[in-house]
Amino acid sequence: MQTWTTKNNHTIYRILSGRCNCYLVAKSGKFMLVDAGPQLGWPLLRRRLDALNVTAASLAGLVLTHSHFDHTENAAHVKETYSAKIFIHSSEANFLLHGDNPVVHGTNPVVGLITTVLAKKNVIQLLKYKPVAFDVQVDDQYDLNDAGFLGYIIHTPGHSPGSMSVIIDNEIALVGDAMFGIFNNKTFPPFALDAPQLVSSWRILLDTGCSLYLPAHGSARSREILQNEYDKYHRKFNLK
């Protein structure tokens, strides 16, 4: 497992990778899981959580950066196994309750055509996951100090209406699908409901002061890379 440590000794584990990166934030014996990953990854996720001595008493919660299936399929397992509180943005809480996925669009012509065809065939209904009840609805921001962490959850929409990021120590941001780390020195994702809004969320993430951004797909991105991408797409979309 790849790990990162902040100046105030929060350790972040990339506890699951591949189809979706899931992260575990650890501080003084308390843990916070960020995204739950696809169902096929549950056995490995469970083994790694147990290996790190994560228990119902020590797991402060599961933050779902959004309600797409690849981030949520194990959410019910995590809640049932560890009695975890589930955090979701208020605009996507209903999706989670019904095991549904928010719609996305392609951000380039090829992917756009694919998503259009799949939408017409209603393929999204084949990607339903086990519904699960949420415990905390997040709006613009949610402080994690009471849970034992120097950090907060922040609304960073664009990929989906309720996409969120977790900010730790104003140093490391766990950004879900607000950016992708697949291609070298790039952050722009192939899927987003509202691409200009996504770029505006990059400004929010830059304003946190974080120096490192950990996406749910691909590898970490530096502040310099994000700033370059923000400048490029800010001009492209003629944002204010």
Side-chain angles (χ1 to χ4, degrees), residues 38-57:
Q39 186 172 348
L40 287 175
W42 171 243
L44 178 59
L45 179 62
R46 174 74 187 274
R47 288 198 300 272
R48 287 181 169 174
L49 289 172
D50 289 350
L52 291 169
N53 297 316
V54 176
T55 65

Side-chain angles (χ1 to χ4, degrees), residues 166-205:
V166 180
I167 311 302
I168 300 297
D169 259 356
N170 289 324
E171 185 177 339
I172 297 178
L174 314 178
V175 300
D177 287 2
M179 62 183 76
F180 271 48
I182 303 296
F183 304 108
N184 287 339
N185 300 319
K186 305 293 183 184
T187 59
F188 198 64
F191 303 98
L193 181 64
D194 186 331
Q197 186 181 49
L198 177 73
V199 175
S200 294
S201 287
W202 291 351
R203 180 70 265 166
I204 294 170
L205 288 165

